[in-house]
């Protein structure tokens, strides 16, 4: 059985992020994406590709973290949604932290149009970002 097209889109987006291929990631974002963020200090809803990209850049800049490996555990999809279960390794001040996440996306016309970020252990994320 082949992978659902929405699963393939999401897998491609996270593989692009994991390798630092931002143009490939950006190409999969709908112009009007709504990005619901739960990262401590950045909680809120961001509208549009420009606000979303500014948010992601601000998170990295203000926290001093660098994204490392993104390990995809599974991608589940339907005609309207896709969910990715992943571990992402971040580094900051020479320390590494691996967090587990579930990201839920709504897709429209082959693009990521809405996103909800859910950390398995938000307290551990917050402690790592503060240190």
């Amino acid at each position: 059985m082949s992978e659902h097209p929405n699963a393939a889109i999401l897998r491609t987006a996270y593989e692009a992020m994991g390798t630092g291929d931002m143009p490939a990631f950006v190409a999969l974002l709908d112009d009007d994406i709504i990005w619901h963020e739960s990262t401590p200090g950045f909680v809120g809803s961001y509208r549009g590709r420009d606000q979303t990209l500014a948010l992601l850049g601000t998170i990295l800049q203000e926290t001093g973290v660098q994204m490392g490996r993104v390990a995809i555990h599974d991608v589940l999809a339907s005609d309207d949604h896709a969910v990715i279960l992943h571990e992402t390794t971040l580094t900051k001040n020479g320390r590494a932290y691996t967090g587990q996440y579930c990201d839920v996306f709504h897709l429209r016309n082959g693009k990521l149009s809405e996103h909800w970020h859910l950390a398995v252990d938000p307290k551990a994320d917050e402690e790592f970002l503060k240190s």
Side-chain angles (χ1 to χ4, degrees):
M1 189 163 127
S2 65
E3 186 170 54
H4 191 283
N6 285 340
I9 291 166
L10 193 53
R11 188 177 300 280
T12 299
Y14 275 72
E15 288 170 352
M17 279 195 301
T19 61
D21 186 354
M22 289 308 288
F25 173 72
V26 170
L28 295 171
L29 298 178
D30 187 87
D31 290 341
D32 298 319
I33 189 170
I34 302 170
W35 191 277
H36 305 285
E37 186 58 50
S38 65
T39 298
F42 304 94
V43 173
S45 295
Y46 300 82
R47 298 185 180 278
R49 183 185 292 162
D50 291 342
Q51 276 192 9
T52 297
L53 295 174
L55 164 71
L56 298 176
T58 299
I59 290 173
L60 295 175
Q61 182 178 1
E62 289 187 13
T63 63
V65 299
Q66 293 180 326
M67 280 197 61
R69 186 177 73 89
V70 177
I72 299 171
H73 288 286
D74 205 355
V75 181
L76 313 164
S78 69
D79 290 342
D80 294 320
H81 294 93
V83 177
I84 187 164
L85 309 174
H86 64 96
E87 287 186 342
T88 297
T89 300
L90 306 171
T91 58
K92 179 179 180 179
N93 300 326
R95 294 179 305 108
Y97 167 76
T98 300
Q100 293 79 35
Y101 306 94
C102 172
D103 289 319
V104 179
F105 287 85
H106 182 85
L107 288 92
R108 180 178 55 235
N109 299 322
K111 302 276 186 168
L112 306 173
S113 62
E114 194 161 5
H115 165 267
W116 296 264
H117 176 70
L118 308 162
V120 170
D121 190 349
K123 288 288 187 192
D125 283 9
E126 185 173 17
E127 289 174 18
F128 178 75
L129 293 174
K130 283 182 181 178
S131 60

